[in-house]
Amino acid sequence: MTMTPTLNPLVLLAIPLAPLVGSAIAGLFGTKFFGNLIGRAAAHTATILGVAIACVLSFMVLNDVLAGARFNETIYTWMQLGELSLEVGFLVDPLTAMMMVVVTFVSLMVHIYTIGYMAEDEGYSRFFAYISLFTFSMLMLVMSNNFLQLFFGWEAVGLVSYLLIGFWYTRPTAIFANMKAFLVNRVGDFGFILGIGLLLAYSGSMSYDGVFAQKDVLVQQVLPGTDWNLLTVACICLFIGAMGKSAQFPLHVWLPDSMEGPTPISALIHAATMVTAGIFMVSRMSPLFELTDTALSFVLIIGSITALFMGFLGIVQNDIKRVVAYSTLSQLGYMTVALGVSAYPIAVFHLMTHAFFKALLFLGAGSVIMGMHHDQDMRNMGGLWKYMPITWLTSLLGSLALIGTPFFSGFYSKDSIIEAVAESHIYGSGFAYFAVMAGVFITAFYSFRMYFLVFHGKERFGQAHDDHGHDAHDDHHDDHHHGLAPGQKPHESPWVVTLPLVLLAIPSVIVGYFTIGPMLFGDFFGNAIFVDVVKHHSMKELADAFHGPVAMAAHSLHSPVLYLALGGVVTAAVFYLWLPQIPAFFARVLAPVKAILDNKYYLDDFNQAVFAKGARVLGAGLWKGADQGLIDGLVVNGSTRVVAWFSATVRQVQSGYLYHYAFAMILGLIGLIGWILYTHLGSIK
């Protein structure tokens, strides 16, 4: 009989602390903070070593978890408030272990890649410190066993994303982007903390187990003063937090702007960390969400809107990084749709497969940018496959995974989402099915539009650039973005860049094939995710229809999903390789539609005009009216004026003449005598 392995809390503690120590070494000793005590090599060695340790230990933990090990204990009690205990604790189950492996592996690839990408940047050590700190924050989030620690990790990734998006802090666009990300996420986080507060108020606990144990009581309660179900309100509030972090409509507006940070950051934020936090959180809260169909429908509809309408925006982008950014938004919509139809395992499965191929696509885009001497405009590229063969091949594999090509990892997760939606009957599932099906064609179209424009067709680099009529989203205002000089040719990136591409390409191709069975239809997640199969039967229907990864791929050969994806690729080839006059014609004919897409549905303008300007008007009103008018004017200055007037009046009495004082004394004496007589005569009556 084999013994179930146990998890050592010190090992678990070492996983988040190793990147934190690396970050502290690089950030304190490798920057001006303590006077550049260590060089660049020492800074990147410390951070990479920290993340590598975390990655190796995460794989070991995953291996033990698969053998049956579990951990759910308090590491440190921070504060005791009566019955309420505020703790730092770890919950390590298959869901956590899988997330730890994904986060640390992708982060390690990004760290290695950064050596090449940031080689010429002055903030080299500072950058490594930030990305290591980011990894620590995400690990604290996914490993938490209580809402307090979850919220700490949640806010920490938000804080570090602010530092990373605005890494080039002298650029106005970067300053605007990081402020935008920070403020939009605060909106989501306000909802998130309201949800946590409601659960705490009515369950009296901050631990997951404590709240889940009372779920049957919570579902019976209503929000005071309303007829709203308490759990529905709490779940929607929690999901609003996820809308901010996982960039769901309408709180998605910050994510495309996060491209202002260096490319490795884009890969880290978009693939493995921050944006997946919301998906992970809802999956972790599945015992609560399963009790409220209203909240699930809300999740489903928001996810559908994001999956469909963000895909449209990817079609009109000319910046290579922004195409991949809108692809992230659309794929996050797919994950959210899966959550809405109670297919939490599929959402997490797509999170995992997407992390690999999306990191690959971002780092591939970064490699292209390096080869093009920091020109990001796809209209200045073409024919790069000859000059950058490794980048070309890995980008092709990433694109094929993204569009859901049979046998690739993205196929298994994406097709499973579509099938789960088809089997669902929850409110909003009809619209969701249309959105995810249309999204297949759109994704294939914009992905291969990018692929063909960059790697195939006519070579458009090393020429005097035409005025492309750059819109706001094409402007970078950056000295680095100069592009190739006339006659210059692109070049393949160094091995520190291409090695992560190759290592990410491998799971992008094969990980779905080997993991779909245990993750979706086996007992991989165990009790980590709860699905009420009586009410929500999508997962059961899929399990009944699943006969292995090969059979699933074979079945797809005569499904509309494959034809839609193929149609998207062929359309992109026709439009951008053979008949470029067709998209030019559509751009003219559909100019109003293109204007809407170019301006991102005018949501940024709306936010600027209503919320930003409204907040400034409110601020100015409070400053002018409340601060200057009421506090400074009436209270402070008014009281001084009253005192001044009173003292000036009283001063008149102090004349310095003796007869004035004698007269005042006589008046006082007459008054006193009059008062005594009045009271005396009154008492006689």
Side-chain angles (χ1 to χ4, degrees):
M1 181 179 166
T2 56
M3 288 184 63
T4 303
T6 56
L7 296 174
N8 187 335
L10 292 176
V11 171
L12 296 178
L13 201 55
I15 293 172
L17 289 184
L20 181 63
V21 170
S23 172
I25 293 169
L28 297 176
F29 303 110
T31 62
K32 293 176 184 176
F33 197 89
F34 281 151
N36 293 308
L37 296 177
I38 61 172
R40 289 185 163 206
H44 75 231
T45 303
T47 51
I48 290 173
L49 187 62
V51 176
I53 291 169
C55 186
V56 170
L57 292 177
S58 294
F59 273 101
M60 289 167 60
V61 166
L62 177 63
N63 189 52
D64 288 344
V65 166
L66 291 175
R70 298 288 186 273
F71 188 91
N72 185 10
E73 291 177 25
T74 299
I75 303 294
Y76 171 69
T77 301
W78 179 47
M79 194 185 294
Q80 193 74 36
L81 297 172
E83 296 291 314
L84 179 63
S85 187
L86 303 179
E87 303 164 339
V88 174
F90 293 150
L91 166 60
V92 180
D93 58 13
L95 176 60
T96 301
M98 186 277 295
M99 287 294 296
M100 287 159 64
V101 165
V102 170
V103 168
T104 53
F105 178 74
V106 173
S107 178
L108 181 60
M109 296 298 104
V110 168
H111 274 70
I112 296 168
Y113 178 96
T114 299
I115 297 172
Y117 194 85
M118 299 296 286
E120 298 172 9
D121 200 276
E122 289 180 7
Y124 186 86
S125 298
R126 176 167 62 93
F127 189 82
F128 272 99
Y130 286 172
I131 56 177
S132 239
L133 187 59
F134 205 50
T135 309
F136 157 77
S137 305
M138 191 66 189
L139 286 168
M140 288 298 284
L141 188 157
V142 299
M143 293 173 74
S144 64
N145 72 345
N146 61 82
F147 284 101
L148 178 71
Q149 190 178 324
L150 176 72
F151 191 71
F152 164 77
W154 197 265
E155 293 301 309
V157 290
L159 171 64
V160 187
S161 74
Y162 171 83
L163 298 172
L164 286 167
I165 294 166
F167 180 78
W168 288 314
Y169 53 82
T170 53
R171 281 194 221 168
T173 48
I175 297 165
F176 182 80
N178 72 352
M179 190 60 76
K180 186 175 177 180
F182 195 76
L183 291 175
V184 172
N185 270 282
R186 294 297 69 74
V187 174
D189 294 353
F190 181 67
F192 188 55
I193 203 165
L194 280 179
I196 293 173
L198 279 172
L199 293 174
L200 171 61
Y202 286 88
S203 70
S205 176
M206 288 288 268
S207 75
Y208 298 159
D209 285 350
V211 175
F212 294 164
Q214 298 191 51
K215 63 181 185 180
D216 294 327
V217 177
L218 292 170
V219 78
Q220 302 296 329
Q221 294 182 289
V222 295
L223 199 67
T226 70
D227 56 355
W228 299 346
N229 182 274
L230 175 77
L231 204 56
T232 298
V233 174
C235 286
I236 288 175
C237 285
L238 289 174
F239 180 67
I240 288 170
M243 285 164 65
K245 278 287 176 290
S246 293
Q248 296 298 293
F249 177 90
L251 300 182
H252 68 278
V253 292
W254 67 271
L255 196 59
D257 290 82
S258 70
M259 299 298 97
E260 282 299 327
T263 298
I265 288 315
S266 306
L268 207 51
I269 289 178
H270 285 247
T273 56
M274 192 160 161
V275 294
T276 60
I279 308 298
F280 165 80
M281 182 273 295
V282 175
S283 301
R284 178 63 79 201
M285 297 298 129
S286 57
L288 302 180
F289 277 85
E290 280 300 276
L291 296 172
T292 164
D293 280 5
T294 307
L296 286 174
S297 287
F298 181 74
V299 170
L300 180 62
I301 290 166
I302 292 291
S304 307
I305 293 170
T306 310
L308 181 62
F309 289 97
M310 297 304 112
F312 285 133
L313 295 182
I315 296 171
V316 298
Q317 303 302 316
N318 295 311
D319 182 322
I320 184 170
K321 281 182 27 179
R322 284 185 183 259
V323 177
V324 190
Y326 280 107
S327 161
T328 303
L329 283 169
S330 182
Q331 295 309 305
L332 286 165
Y334 271 84
M335 296 175 210
T336 307
V337 164
L339 296 172
V341 296
S342 297
Y344 310 98
I346 303 178
V348 176
F349 181 48
H350 193 50
L351 183 160
M352 177 192 73
T353 60
H354 172 264
F356 295 122
F357 61 72
K358 188 50 54 76
L360 173 60
L361 285 169
F362 262 116
L363 298 186
S367 179
V368 168
I369 292 166
M370 286 174 71
M372 290 293 299
H373 287 212
H374 295 276
D375 187 354
Q376 296 182 193
D377 195 325
M378 297 187 298
R379 294 168 295 187
N380 301 329
M381 301 177 190
L384 293 192
W385 71 273
K386 289 181 285 190
Y387 307 97
M388 307 179 74
I390 299 171
T391 305
W392 160 66
L393 185 59
T394 51
S395 297
L396 175 60
L397 293 174
S399 300
L400 289 170
L402 171 62
I403 71 169
T405 308
F407 294 104
F408 283 69
S409 60
F411 159 74
Y412 291 105
S413 54
K414 201 170 176 180
D415 261 41
S416 298
I417 293 173
I418 294 168
E419 287 175 29
V421 175
E423 296 294 344
S424 175
H425 300 295
I426 193 170
Y427 181 80
S429 56
F431 170 61
Y433 185 68
F434 166 75
V436 293
M437 287 295 281
V440 171
F441 176 85
I442 295 163
T443 303
F445 179 72
Y446 68 64
S447 302
F448 274 82
R449 171 182 178 264
M450 176 179 76
Y451 171 75
F452 291 135
L453 282 174
V454 172
F455 294 107
H456 294 279
K458 179 186 168 192
E459 296 180 5
R460 297 180 295 277
F461 48 80
Q463 302 167 9
H465 294 167
D466 299 327
D467 180 12
H468 290 302
H470 287 283
D471 303 313
H473 62 271
D474 290 320
D475 288 336
H476 295 281
H477 310 291
D478 176 27
D479 298 335
H480 298 291
H481 293 244
H482 45 73
L484 295 168
Q488 260 188 316
K489 300 294 182 186
H491 54 83
E492 186 60 277
S493 302
W495 73 268
V496 286
V497 170
T498 54
L499 178 66
L501 294 179
V502 173
L503 292 176
L504 283 165
I506 296 166
S508 297
V509 176
I510 66 170
V511 77
Y513 180 91
F514 290 106
T515 56
I516 182 169
M519 284 187 74
L520 299 195
F521 312 113
D523 57 354
F524 177 86
F525 288 115
N527 298 324
I529 289 174
F530 172 73
V531 180
D532 186 346
V533 290
V534 178
K535 283 171 63 183
H536 309 126
H537 51 81
S538 289
M539 288 301 299
K540 187 177 180 304
E541 298 285 348
L542 262 64
D544 293 341
F546 183 73
H547 301 294
V550 175
M552 184 174 172
H555 174 72
S556 74
L557 296 176
H558 46 81
S559 75
V561 179
L562 181 64
Y563 297 130
L564 282 167
L566 189 62
V569 174
V570 171
T571 307
V574 171
F575 279 23
Y576 297 99
L577 287 182
W578 304 316
L579 297 170
Q581 60 269 30
I582 296 178
F585 168 77
F586 280 125
R588 285 196 307 275
V589 173
L590 302 174
V593 177
K594 189 173 182 300
I596 292 169
L597 295 177
D598 280 337
N599 289 284
K600 297 171 278 190
Y601 306 116
Y602 295 97
L603 284 170
D604 282 338
D605 298 322
F606 177 80
N607 289 337
Q608 284 288 342
V610 177
F611 294 112
K613 199 171 179 180
R616 289 177 68 180
V617 168
L618 179 64
L622 290 171
W623 166 47
K624 291 282 189 186
D627 190 30
Q628 287 191 339
L630 184 64
I631 298 169
D632 285 351
L634 188 62
V635 178
V636 178
N637 295 337
S639 59
T640 56
R641 288 194 186 100
V642 169
V643 170
W645 171 82
F646 184 74
S647 57
T649 305
V650 171
R651 191 168 65 242
Q652 302 300 321
V653 179
Q654 300 284 350
S655 65
Y657 295 113
L658 188 60
Y659 61 86
H660 282 176
Y661 300 146
F663 183 66
M665 288 172 66
I666 291 166
L667 286 178
L669 192 60
I670 291 169
L672 182 62
I673 293 168
W675 174 252
I676 292 168
L677 287 171
Y678 175 76
T679 52
H680 180 68
L681 292 171
S683 63
I684 293 173
K685 287 179 185 178

